[in-house]
């Protein structure tokens, strides 16, 4: 069972930010800012779902361009050619970045 008093990092940051904001500018302003942000996010989410329901092809496998691509070049889903052309591979470059930073080179990341 999860401890009642344990907080996730995200929840801690929300509570801390709200508390600091309330202490600095007062409850009224903080409440209005929170309501405005929540309203914006609610409207944005509704717009995304509305756009999704209005799309002609909601699933990629129904898109004629994708069907044609598989028919002419990629053979079938998960074929060797599809895997070779469509899948990416992760390369860990953190050691290289760390070595450059130790040399004093500034990176724009």
């Amino acid at each position: 069972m999860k401890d009642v008093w344990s907080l996730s990092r995200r929840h801690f940051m929300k509570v801390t930010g709200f508390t600091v904001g309330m202490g600095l500018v007062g409850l009224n302003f903080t409440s209005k800012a929170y309501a405005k942000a929540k309203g914006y996010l609610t409207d944005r989410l509704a717009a995304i779902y509305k756009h999704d329901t209005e799309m002609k092809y909601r699933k990629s496998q129904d898109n004629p361009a994708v069907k044609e691509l598989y028919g002419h070049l990629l053979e079938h889903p998960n074929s060797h050619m599809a895997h070779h052309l469509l899948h990416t591979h992760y390369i860990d470059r953190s050691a290289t970045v760390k070595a450059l930073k130790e040399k004093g080179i500034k990176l724009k990341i």
Side-chain angles (χ1 to χ4, degrees):
M1 187 170 126
K2 189 175 179 180
D3 185 14
V4 176
W5 294 105
S6 68
L7 293 174
S8 68
R9 182 176 178 173
R10 176 177 284 164
H11 190 232
F12 174 77
M13 294 302 288
K14 283 182 185 178
V15 171
T16 305
F18 185 78
T19 305
V20 169
M22 186 174 59
L24 291 176
V25 294
L27 180 60
N28 191 28
F29 178 78
T30 306
S31 298
K32 287 179 183 178
Y34 175 77
K36 188 174 183 178
K38 186 175 180 182
Y40 169 77
L41 292 174
T42 303
D43 292 345
R44 177 72 177 132
L45 188 61
I48 289 171
Y49 280 120
K50 181 179 181 277
H51 179 70
D52 186 46
T53 58
E54 294 172 352
M55 291 180 63
K56 187 174 182 180
Y57 305 111
R58 294 183 65 197
K59 296 183 256 177
S60 60
Q61 65 264 26
D62 294 339
N63 189 328
V66 174
K67 288 180 179 181
E68 183 178 352
L69 181 67
Y70 273 102
H72 288 91
L73 179 65
L74 301 177
E75 300 161 3
H76 57 84
N78 295 324
S79 69
H80 177 72
M81 185 60 76
H83 179 78
H84 179 70
L85 293 175
L86 300 178
H87 290 87
T88 60
H89 301 281
Y90 173 75
I91 299 171
D92 185 9
R93 293 188 171 93
S94 60
T96 307
V97 171
K98 185 178 178 183
L100 291 172
K101 285 183 178 180
E102 287 175 355
K103 289 182 181 179
I105 297 173
K106 293 184 179 182
L107 303 172
K108 289 185 179 181
I109 298 177

